[in-house]
């Protein structure tokens, strides 16, 4: 696959985002039983992690978009020399 590493990097960030969503759900459910400081620290951690994920996804997406755009704008060159095209066999020529 041509863009496998780029797509894999974006997928990693999406997985991280899903994990942060789960952590936020746990914190919101447990906020009643936690101290104010614990809740503030947890929210501060989640906010930083989500900002980092957003920045990574945005940067990777822009890189991938530019790569695809640049590739699409390059003129196609015809292949010169090399191997000849294989002849397609018809039903009559099959062994």
């Amino acid at each position: 696959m041509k863009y496998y590493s780029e797509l894999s990097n974006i997928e990693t960030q999406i997985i991280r985002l899903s994990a942060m969503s789960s952590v936020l759900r746990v914190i919101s459910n447990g906020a009643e039983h936690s101290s104010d400081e614990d809740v503030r620290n947890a929210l501060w951690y989640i906010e930083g992690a989500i900002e980092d994920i957003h920045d990574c996804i945005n940067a990777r997406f822009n890189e991938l978009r530019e790569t695809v755009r640049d590739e699409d704008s390059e003129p196609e060159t015809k292949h010169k020399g090399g191997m000849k095209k294989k002849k397609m066999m018809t039903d009559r020529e099959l062994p």
Side-chain angles (χ1 to χ4, degrees):
M1 193 166 162
K2 195 168 194 173
Y3 301 107
Y4 179 78
S5 62
E6 290 89 348
L7 291 171
S8 180
N9 289 331
I10 292 172
E11 180 184 37
T12 299
Q13 298 307 319
I14 291 169
I15 292 168
R16 286 182 64 204
L17 185 58
S18 177
M20 286 299 108
S21 177
S22 297
V23 169
L24 183 58
R25 236 178 276 120
V26 168
I27 289 172
S28 66
N29 290 333
E32 306 170 348
H33 308 290
S34 301
S35 71
D36 289 344
E37 183 180 353
D38 289 341
V39 172
R40 273 194 304 275
N41 287 338
L43 292 174
W44 176 80
Y45 171 77
I46 290 173
E47 181 182 4
I50 289 174
E51 285 178 11
D52 180 56
I53 292 167
H54 176 265
D55 292 345
C56 287
I57 289 174
N58 194 33
R60 302 274 186 195
F61 177 78
N62 286 331
E63 288 173 16
L64 183 58
R65 182 177 54 195
E66 287 176 15
T67 301
V68 171
R69 184 194 65 215
D70 293 344
E71 193 171 274
D72 286 345
S73 65
E74 292 177 2
E76 289 188 29
T77 57
K78 292 186 178 180
H79 182 68
K80 296 180 180 178
M83 296 176 62
K84 294 182 180 179
K85 259 188 173 178
K86 286 186 176 180
K87 178 183 171 189
M88 296 294 291
M89 295 181 80
T90 63
D91 290 339
R92 293 182 198 161
E93 296 173 323
L94 291 175

